[in-house]
């Protein structure tokens, strides 16, 4: 589409096929006419151009680059609070936060589940919105996408090493009446997505995250942001909000040590 390659120095890959995700996330403004901020991170572990105000910003983390710039920024920006949703827990690439609040919360949650003592949960640092998710997107009065994410009764089994795999908590169905079984395979990786159920499961790992966060911005007071370095997820989040007339609140890890956003400085 005529956009330059967004990277520092000489890019190692120059074809659109190998750089399309970067082109998509950095080209949201040109492609969809949605205003992106200038760089809002220049070396400290917090957003340094955020209008703090009194409003807490809930931030759902999807994917980030190797320097963990989003994890550290979310943890250290005073008005940010890590936001964990059901959709985030089913994505195999999701590990909450690698530093700060998220890693501590894992232990608190596990202790609460093992001991049945809910007092552990008083010390959680993240905001959790974990429960069934059901919604329908319609086109011309007809159902186009029907999502049914439910929680399995009894919860997952606790493995010998004490881990409780979050995928085993949930059951995901897409357009159930249009598929033989309706159930979507969760936790797959791209190279193993070889059939409709596994391919849809791979796609919905990201899609459910930004759909959940975006839709909540239409009826909840605290602004909710989707934070990611995944170019396709960032662009599809913007496109989803653009088509359904939902406020876009997106924080982008550019992959070159900087952060950009859409909708952040307007809050």
């Amino acid at each position: 589409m005529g956009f330059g390659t967004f990277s520092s120095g000489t890019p190692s890959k120059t074809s659109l096929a190998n750089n399309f995700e970067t082109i998509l996330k950095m080209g949201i403004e040109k492609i969809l006419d949605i205003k992106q901020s200038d760089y809002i991170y220049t070396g400290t572990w917090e957003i340094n151009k955020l209008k703090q105000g009194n409003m807490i910003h809930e931030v759902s983390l999807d994917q980030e680059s190797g320097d963990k710039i989003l994890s550290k920024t979310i943890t250290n920006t005073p008005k940010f609070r890590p936001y964990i949703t059901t959709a985030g827990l089913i994505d195999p690439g999701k590990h909450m936060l690698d530093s700060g609040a998220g890693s501590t919360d894992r232990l608190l949650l596990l202790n609460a589940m093992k001991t049945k003592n809910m007092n552990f949960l008083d010390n959680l640092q993240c905001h959790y919105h974990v429960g069934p998710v059901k919604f329908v997107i319609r086109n011309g009065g007809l159902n186009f996408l029907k999502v049914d994410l439910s929680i399995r009764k009894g919860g997952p089994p606790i493995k010998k090493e004490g881990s409780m795999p979050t995928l085993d908590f949930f059951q995901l169905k897409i357009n159930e009446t249009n598929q033989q079984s309706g159930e979507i395979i969760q936790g797959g990786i791209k190279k193993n997505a070889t059939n409709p159920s596994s391919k849809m499961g791979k796609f919905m790992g990201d899609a459910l995250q930004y759909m959940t966060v975006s839709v909540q911005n239409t009826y909840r007071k605290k602004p909710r942001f989707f934070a990611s370095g995944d170019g396709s997820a960032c662009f599809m989040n913007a496109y989803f909000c653009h088509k359904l007339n939902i406020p876009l609140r997106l924080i982008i890890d550019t992959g070159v040590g900087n952060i950009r956003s859409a909708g952040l400085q307007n809050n």
Side-chain angles (χ1 to χ4, degrees), residues 116-135:
K116 309 300 181 183
N117 182 357
M118 296 300 105
N119 291 332
F120 283 106
L121 305 185
D122 293 337
N123 297 314
L124 294 176
Q125 298 301 306
C126 301
H127 178 198
Y128 293 83
H129 188 276
V130 180
V133 176
K134 295 184 180 182
F135 63 86

Side-chain angles (χ1 to χ4, degrees), residues 198-262:
S198 60
K199 288 180 179 180
M200 181 60 79
K202 176 60 180 168
F203 169 73
M204 291 305 291
D206 289 328
L208 269 180
Q209 288 187 72
Y210 61 71
M211 287 179 179
T212 298
V213 172
S214 298
V215 169
Q216 287 179 352
N217 276 317
T218 65
Y219 64 89
R220 293 186 177 273
K221 292 183 179 179
K222 291 180 181 177
R224 283 157 168 75
F225 288 82
F226 177 69
S228 181
D230 184 317
S232 295
C234 289
F235 182 84
M236 289 305 298
N237 179 30
Y239 184 74
F240 179 79
C241 293
H242 178 68
K243 295 299 291 185
L244 298 183
N245 197 28
I246 296 173
L248 175 63
R249 290 170 178 154
L250 172 65
I251 300 173
I252 302 170
D253 179 350
T254 65
V256 290
N258 287 295
I259 294 174
R260 297 181 73 174
S261 76

Side-chain angles (χ1 to χ4, degrees), residues 38-41 47 69-70 73 251-252 254 258-261:
D38 295 326
Y39 295 125
I40 55 175
Y41 166 86
I47 299 287
I69 186 174
L70 289 178
T73 298
I251 300 173
I252 302 170
T254 65
N258 287 295
I259 294 174
R260 297 181 73 174
S261 76

